[in-house]
Structures are given as C-alpha cells and as structure tokens.
Amino acid sequence: MPKNLTQKILDAHIQSGDKIPSSPVDVKIDQTLTQDATGTMAYIQLEAMGVDQVKTELSVSYVDHNTLQSGFMNADDHAYLQSVAAKHGVLFSRPGNGICHQVHLERFAKPGKTLIGSDSHTPTAGALASIAMGAGGLDVAKAMAGLPYTIPYPKVVEVRLEGKLPHGVSSKDIILELLKRRSVKGGVGKIFEYTGEGLKDLSVYQRATITNMGAELGATTSIFPSDERTLEFLTKQNRAQDWKELKADPDAAYDELEVIDLSTLTPAAACPNSPDAVKPIDELKGQKVDQVAIGSCTNSGFEDMMKAAAILKGKTIAPNVSLVVSPGSRQVLIKLMENGALQTFVKAGARILECTCGPCIGMGQSPKSEGVSLRTFNRNFYGRSGTNSAGVYLVSPEVAAASAIAGVFADPRELDYQDSDFEQIDYVDDSMILYPFENPEEVEIIRGPNIKPLPLNDKLPDSFDKKVVIKLGDNITTDHIAPAGAEVLPYRSNIEKLSTFVFRNNKEGFDKVCKENNGGIIVAGENYGQGSSREHAALAPMYLGIKAVIAKSFARIHLANLINFGILPLVFANPADYDTIDEMDELVFDHLDELSADQPLIVHNKTKSLDYALTPQFGAQDIPVLKAGGTLNYIRSMQD
Ligand code: MIC
Ligand code: SF4
C-alpha cells in the first residue's frame, strides 16, 4: 500500500493503538524540547516522577520567553532550568541564544524523527520533515521518561502547492490563505502534509513559517517532505549527515485535499483578534499604523530578516511608527551583523531586541491605547500584546517593513527589492548551548523562592454538587484562561499566585468566586482551549477547584492537559443544552465511580430541574488517571 509521508513516519513510531482516525495511538518520541515558561513545570514533574537521566535521543531546554528579569523570579527559573538540565541529561540553550523553535530548526530537528515540545509551535520542525507536536509539560516530562505520547490517530490533509509566489507575496500569505479557508478550528485532529511543484521554490525557513502557524488551524501538526532544499539547509548548518530523502509514495492516499495556486495569492493580514480573520492588504491599504514588530518564531529566520532589510535599505521609518526587530537566533543575529543588514535596520530607525519571544508573548513593547500594531507573529488574541484596546494584525515581514516606512498599511508588491535567492544561513554557533554534566550526581538543583512545590489534585469523588462559575462563548484561548504578559509570566512556577490571574479579562475576581463556592464547573462553546500548550490553563483552574469543563468542543492539547490534571472534559450531546445553563446554576454529578468512556454522563441541573447528557472526551485508558485526580497521582499510585 503506498503511504503518504505522515503515515511513513508516524507508523514507524506507533507502539500501540488502531490506525483509525481519532482512535488513540501511542507514539514513540525521539526528541523533546521545552521552553522556560512551561519548562519549569515540566522539569518539576520530571523530578516528581523520579527520572534520573532522560531516555530520549535528544532533549533540549530553551530559555526564550521570560527574559525580562524584572525581579528575581525569571532568573530563579533560569537557574533551576540550567541545573536540572545538567543533572538529567538535557541540553540547555542559554537565554539570548534564540527562540526554541528557530534554534531547534537550525541545530537539532531531523527528517523522519518525532518531536514533542511544551509549546504549541513545536510543529515548526515539520519544515525539516519531523513529526513535531505541541504538548503539555507533563506529557513532555513523560516522553523524557521514555513513555510514548498518545494522540488521536490523525486524518491527513494534502495541501498541494502549485505555481510560484509572485513578487511581494510570502509564505506567510500561504498559511494566512489556509487559515482563511479553514478557520482556527479547521485543523483539529488533522496533519497538513505539503506536496506539489510549488515546494521547490520554498526554502526551509519559508516552510517553517507555514508549519509554525499551522498550529493556529488547531492542527496536530504540519509537515514538508525532505528534499533538495532540506539538504541545502542542513549542509549549510554542517548537518548534511542528518539528511535523508523522505516523501510520500506516488499514488499515496490522503483524507482530504486542498489545492493552493501560489501565483494567485496576494499579501494579506489577519485582523484583530483572531489569526483566521484574514483580509487582503488591498482592503486595509492606507490605514494608519502605530507599531511594527518583526520577529517571533514565525518569521524571524535569516531570510525573513533579509527581506525586511532589503525593503528598509536606505529608508527611514515614518514618524508615527515604532519599529522593533528581534532575530530568531544568535546565529541569525551574528549573520546580520556580518553582512550589514543589522546596520540597515538600525539606520532605518529600528529598535533591536534580544533573540527571544519578546512582544509576541506580551513581554514588553505593548502598543499604545487603541494602537494599530502590525506584527509578523502568529497570534493576535485579545489582550496578548498587553494593550487590550490595541488592534494587532498578523502580516509577512515584507508587509511589515513596507508599512513601517509608509506609516500606513502598504503593499510590498509595489516596491522594488530582492525577494528571493537569498543564501541559506551558513553560520553555526553552539557556544551558548550547554551539554549535560558528566557526573550528574554532583549537580545540585538550584531552587530559588519562585520555584514552588507542584500542587496536586484530590481523587475524583464519586459524586459532587458544583456551581457553574463561568459561562463562556466559542474559541476561548488559553490566553483567556491563563493570561500571558510581563506581569503574569514570572509566576509560571508559582501556581497559587498564577491562579489569581485566571480569566482576568473575562471575569474579574474569578479566583475569588471559585474559592467562595469551593471550586466549580466551567461551561464553554466550541474549540475551548485553543492556542498555547500551557498546562497552566488546566493546572491553575485545578488549583481553584474546577472539577469539570462542559463545552461544545475542545482543542487537542488543552483537552490532554485537562485529563492530565484530573479535570473531566465533557461535551454536550445536545448542543442546544448549552443555552439552558446559566452562571451559578448548580450541577449534580453522580455515579462517577462508574465513569465510562462510551456512555454519556447524565448530569442534573438542580437550579433549572433539567438533565443533560454529556459525551465524555476521554478514552477508557484515561479513566484511572481521572479517578486518581490526574497523571502524576496516577503514576505515583502505580509506584506505591
Ligand atoms: C504562546 O505562543 O502562546 C506560547 C507562550 O509560546 C505558548 C507557551 C506558553 O504559554 O508558555 C505556546 O504556544 O504553547
Ligand atoms: Fe515565543 Fe511567540 Fe513563538 Fe510562542 S508564538 S514560542 S511566545 S515567539
């Protein structure tokens, strides 16, 4: 049977389960990555599991999110991460070395390997033909302990690229087109596999923009074949030995087909506040712009920077615009220093930031009130920039640079600049990557006061009565649940403090409501928990006593995180029941000792005297975990 590329790699790694779409399969994981904002928790959990040395082929711990260091908290996290990596066999990429996905792409990702990372943009490595998936920190810790990662067996969508991108149109516009067609929930349970003659003109960095932002489709991951372009990239990175050709068999079958004729695409922007609110630049042209930010793991590669520099060369930004530039890795920054592009940026008036996530995660550079900010990033969720009233538009580096000069939305097709045939980055520098200690027993773990013990859940009671403490609409993101930003992020290893910020943009004082009511139930619409992989969006609600989330549907990673922390994920069997529930209704959960994955759970609304049939969103294998109050409790109970 001819196989597509996804099947080839995935099937070689599946340890158990049926290869039927949406049925759970256990996948062997070759590589893991963590970043600091989720990594501290992942390693605290790894320690709690009693793992001595990681069992993967390669595990890397990156520091790229929390690098502002106002106060001791971030630095405490960094010191902890560095020591825990040295002790447990993990490579450590020091703060400033680059954004995890960019550095992993340049230095470590390999064709044919599986990778999970405690960050939802881990699929970036799909540009090098890895099956790379975002996961909660606990699942990454389990993979480091040598356990497989469980996913619903995906459907595979063939995205056939035809033709060639016109001048001024970029790979960002390809993924924006797909988001426009499919929406932020259109990829749930699917892997997007790219094929077609259009591939040959897309370099690895351009492919990485697409696989990175494929996360915004809700997709399990995205993948490109390993071809001549892959070899070119790996050779320049002194990694030709990591290359092997990998592609779908001729006549391989796919579950769905999407054809994109690249020659018909135009520059586009995702408008506030969703990555799928896509409009052509033509419709926005001439509107005033206040801020432009070029960087983030989506568009901070060497070529992205070179295209922006080509447009900015010899120009000065408009007086009404603030331009910030953050290259994705030190390698890229050094290369830009060497070839003069950095000078171009500075001369044009750009403010240069360190090689980290920075403004993408609200770590500085918040726009002004009502400001219009054009960013080459992947997410423009409400409040994420740090200014709730600002409008964030997601665009290509070309649109960003052209608009920075014009002071209004501008179309790069109208400008004359070099937009292709850039050399691939040939600069290699691993000096800020630390290797694990040879004598791990001598390493002492550094635990500053910001590293708090991990809160654990109670066992699931056989029955309980709880109030609906919040009722939400569709597409609630993990940025709503556990917000990011400079004020909150330092507390990622301090759940008690973090829990005071939960839903702060939806319901002020949510934590107090939970405390007064001894926990409660969350009710939501479609695609609950989209966006980031942060397990804090399950962990902090668990800490506040949330026992179940009843929604119309869930995003994949968040669903797994809820189960990991012992929160029941349930879906309305009859979606119209959603309309009959109100905040503060009291729900009665009974017979939970007989919890089943195949039978609906009948829950009684005491306030309205109604019964609801709720469909479990977990499998039979998750039931002991849920009953134990989460994965860690379960693992511990197995060890007793
Ligand atoms: C994000 O882009 O939202 C983040 C910040 O990188 C998150 C991880 C986090 O919340 O720490 C992600 O995408 O998973
Ligand atoms: Fe960092 Fe932004 Fe990428 Fe998340 S999306 S990893 S915050 S650069």
Side-chain angles (χ1 to χ4, degrees), residues 14 26 29 58 117 139 181 208 256 299 318 379 383 403 424 427 467 497 517 535:
I14 288 180
D26 291 337
I29 298 302
L58 173 91
D139 283 322
R181 290 189 194 180
E256 290 169 37
N299 278 114
R379 289 188 174 149
S403 306
Q424 294 301 301
Y427 183 78
K467 289 199 174 132
K497 179 80 182 169
N517 291 286
E535 61 193 341

Side-chain angles (χ1 to χ4, degrees), residues 572-584:
F572 292 101
N574 172 13
D577 284 345
Y578 168 89
D579 301 320
T580 68
I581 297 196
D582 290 304
E583 278 186 17
M584 287 303 144

Side-chain angles (χ1 to χ4, degrees), residues 153-172:
Y153 192 75
K155 286 189 172 170
V156 187
V157 182
E158 176 185 10
V159 185
R160 197 179 297 154
L161 302 180
E162 293 176 347
K164 197 173 158 43
L165 287 174
H167 171 75
V169 185
S170 132
S171 63
K172 181 65 156 260

Side-chain angles (χ1 to χ4, degrees), residues 184-185 274 276 473-477 480 525-530:
V184 288
K185 51 180 195 296
S274 186
D276 60 2
D474 293 344
N475 293 324
I476 289 295
T477 71
H480 291 106
E526 300 280 3
N527 201 22
Y528 179 73
Q530 69 157 323

Side-chain angles (χ1 to χ4, degrees), residues 35-39 64-66 100-101 117-122 134-135 215-216 297 357 360-361 378-379 381 384 478-479 482-484 489 492 531-536 557:
Q35 40 90 338
D36 51 320
T38 52
D64 53 3
H65 280 61
N66 291 337
C100 54
H101 309 303
S118 60
D119 192 283
S120 59
H121 293 104
T122 305
E216 270 49 70
C297 58
C357 303
C360 178
I361 188 62
N378 47 35
R379 289 188 174 149
F381 300 146
R384 186 174 162 102
T478 51
D479 278 75
L489 276 173
R492 281 289 181 89
S532 143
S533 67
R534 63 189 75 147
E535 61 193 341
H536 304 77
I557 306 176

Side-chain angles (χ1 to χ4, degrees), residues 166-170 172-174 176 264-269 278-284 394-396 398-399 410-414 417:
H167 171 75
V169 185
S170 132
K172 181 65 156 260
D173 301 309
I174 303 178
L176 289 176
T264 62
L265 295 185
T266 59
V278 177
K279 281 190 185 163
I281 286 299
D282 281 346
E283 283 181 32
L284 301 160
L394 307 173
V395 296
S396 67
E398 294 90 319
V399 170
D411 188 339
R413 288 175 301 179
E414 293 163 9
Y417 65 95

